[in-house]
mmCIF file of all heavy atoms in Angstrom:
data_model
loop_
_atom_site.group_PDB
_atom_site.id
_atom_site.type_symbol
_atom_site.label_atom_id
_atom_site.label_comp_id
_atom_site.label_asym_id
_atom_site.label_seq_id
_atom_site.Cartn_x
_atom_site.Cartn_y
_atom_site.Cartn_z
ATOM 1 N N ALA A 244 32.910 54.003 47.892
ATOM 2 C CA ALA A 244 32.872 54.060 49.263
ATOM 3 C C ALA A 244 31.478 54.584 49.901
ATOM 4 O O ALA A 244 31.265 54.203 50.979
ATOM 5 C CB ALA A 244 33.913 55.251 49.761
ATOM 6 N N LEU A 245 30.865 55.223 49.068
ATOM 7 C CA LEU A 245 29.464 55.585 49.433
ATOM 8 C C LEU A 245 28.385 54.510 49.256
ATOM 9 O O LEU A 245 27.193 54.772 49.394
ATOM 10 C CB LEU A 245 29.036 56.901 48.746
ATOM 11 C CG LEU A 245 29.763 58.152 49.225
ATOM 12 C CD1 LEU A 245 29.509 59.369 48.278
ATOM 13 C CD2 LEU A 245 29.499 58.553 50.625
ATOM 14 N N GLY A 246 28.869 53.459 48.620
ATOM 15 C CA GLY A 246 28.018 52.294 48.463
ATOM 16 C C GLY A 246 27.247 52.350 47.067
ATOM 17 O O GLY A 246 26.243 51.568 46.927
ATOM 18 N N ALA A 247 27.755 52.867 46.104
ATOM 19 C CA ALA A 247 27.035 53.032 44.859
ATOM 20 C C ALA A 247 26.998 51.579 44.185
ATOM 21 O O ALA A 247 27.862 50.843 44.106
ATOM 22 C CB ALA A 247 27.821 53.820 43.832
ATOM 23 N N GLY A 248 25.702 51.191 43.913
ATOM 24 C CA GLY A 248 25.448 49.948 43.255
ATOM 25 C C GLY A 248 25.685 49.855 41.868
ATOM 26 O O GLY A 248 25.975 48.829 41.190
ATOM 27 N N ALA A 249 25.611 51.062 41.175
ATOM 28 C CA ALA A 249 25.951 51.104 39.660
ATOM 29 C C ALA A 249 26.625 52.498 39.440
ATOM 30 O O ALA A 249 26.313 53.604 40.174
ATOM 31 C CB ALA A 249 24.559 51.029 38.892
ATOM 32 N N ILE A 250 27.402 52.545 38.362
ATOM 33 C CA ILE A 250 28.175 53.701 38.007
ATOM 34 C C ILE A 250 27.748 53.957 36.602
ATOM 35 O O ILE A 250 28.026 53.120 35.642
ATOM 36 C CB ILE A 250 29.647 53.564 38.092
ATOM 37 C CG1 ILE A 250 30.105 53.237 39.456
ATOM 38 C CG2 ILE A 250 30.252 54.947 37.638
ATOM 39 C CD1 ILE A 250 29.853 54.107 40.556
ATOM 40 N N GLU A 251 27.055 55.145 36.205
ATOM 41 C CA GLU A 251 26.808 55.447 34.972
ATOM 42 C C GLU A 251 27.259 56.794 34.488
ATOM 43 O O GLU A 251 27.617 57.680 35.377
ATOM 44 C CB GLU A 251 25.219 55.534 34.686
ATOM 45 C CG GLU A 251 24.632 54.188 34.818
ATOM 46 C CD GLU A 251 23.110 54.252 34.482
ATOM 47 O OE1 GLU A 251 22.455 55.255 34.686
ATOM 48 O OE2 GLU A 251 22.514 53.287 34.192
ATOM 49 N N THR A 252 27.388 57.020 33.243
ATOM 50 C CA THR A 252 27.776 58.423 32.655
ATOM 51 C C THR A 252 26.999 58.630 31.398
ATOM 52 O O THR A 252 26.592 57.685 30.688
ATOM 53 C CB THR A 252 29.327 58.385 32.360
ATOM 54 O OG1 THR A 252 29.681 59.838 32.137
ATOM 55 C CG2 THR A 252 29.866 57.540 31.337
ATOM 56 N N VAL A 253 26.936 59.867 31.119
ATOM 57 C CA VAL A 253 26.230 60.305 29.872
ATOM 58 C C VAL A 253 27.148 61.172 29.026
ATOM 59 O O VAL A 253 27.750 62.000 29.559
ATOM 60 C CB VAL A 253 24.952 61.003 30.161
ATOM 61 C CG1 VAL A 253 24.281 61.539 28.897
ATOM 62 C CG2 VAL A 253 23.905 60.214 30.978
ATOM 63 N N VAL A 254 27.386 60.756 27.782
ATOM 64 C CA VAL A 254 28.371 61.484 26.948
ATOM 65 C C VAL A 254 27.580 61.872 25.714
ATOM 66 O O VAL A 254 26.815 61.204 25.086
ATOM 67 C CB VAL A 254 29.548 60.529 26.667
ATOM 68 C CG1 VAL A 254 30.509 61.336 25.687
ATOM 69 C CG2 VAL A 254 30.197 60.075 27.799
ATOM 70 N N LEU A 255 27.992 63.228 25.198
ATOM 71 C CA LEU A 255 27.492 63.516 23.965
ATOM 72 C C LEU A 255 28.082 62.699 22.921
ATOM 73 O O LEU A 255 29.324 62.496 22.848
ATOM 74 C CB LEU A 255 27.804 64.951 23.687
ATOM 75 C CG LEU A 255 27.330 65.724 22.589
ATOM 76 C CD1 LEU A 255 25.761 65.810 22.528
ATOM 77 C CD2 LEU A 255 27.881 67.116 22.476
ATOM 78 N N ALA A 256 27.315 62.102 22.004
ATOM 79 C CA ALA A 256 27.805 61.217 21.009
ATOM 80 C C ALA A 256 28.894 61.783 20.178
ATOM 81 O O ALA A 256 29.827 61.079 19.764
ATOM 82 C CB ALA A 256 26.581 60.631 20.133
ATOM 83 N N ALA A 257 28.831 63.100 19.845
ATOM 84 C CA ALA A 257 29.857 63.767 19.043
ATOM 85 C C ALA A 257 31.146 63.836 19.820
ATOM 86 O O ALA A 257 32.190 64.095 19.035
ATOM 87 C CB ALA A 257 29.279 65.112 18.698
ATOM 88 N N ASN A 258 31.170 63.502 21.037
ATOM 89 C CA ASN A 258 32.435 63.625 21.797
ATOM 90 C C ASN A 258 33.030 62.239 21.804
ATOM 91 O O ASN A 258 32.995 61.481 22.741
ATOM 92 C CB ASN A 258 32.114 64.026 23.187
ATOM 93 C CG ASN A 258 33.360 64.056 24.099
ATOM 94 O OD1 ASN A 258 34.405 63.811 23.709
ATOM 95 N ND2 ASN A 258 33.101 64.482 25.444
ATOM 96 N N SER A 259 33.712 62.042 20.665
ATOM 97 C CA SER A 259 34.294 60.546 20.482
ATOM 98 C C SER A 259 35.428 60.312 21.465
ATOM 99 O O SER A 259 35.596 59.213 21.982
ATOM 100 C CB SER A 259 34.841 60.466 19.048
ATOM 101 O OG SER A 259 35.774 61.409 18.661
ATOM 102 N N ASP A 260 36.121 61.429 21.827
ATOM 103 C CA ASP A 260 37.170 61.059 22.931
ATOM 104 C C ASP A 260 36.503 60.759 24.266
ATOM 105 O O ASP A 260 37.058 59.780 24.961
ATOM 106 C CB ASP A 260 38.026 62.388 23.128
ATOM 107 C CG ASP A 260 38.969 62.694 21.952
ATOM 108 O OD1 ASP A 260 39.263 61.795 21.247
ATOM 109 O OD2 ASP A 260 39.427 63.838 21.813
ATOM 110 N N GLY A 261 35.410 61.412 24.574
ATOM 111 C CA GLY A 261 34.742 60.994 25.841
ATOM 112 C C GLY A 261 34.141 59.601 25.848
ATOM 113 O O GLY A 261 34.247 58.829 26.857
#
Side-chain angles (χ1 to χ4, degrees):
L245 292 171
I250 308 291
E251 290 186 339
T252 190
V253 178
V254 181
L255 186 62
N258 180 1
S259 57
D260 288 340

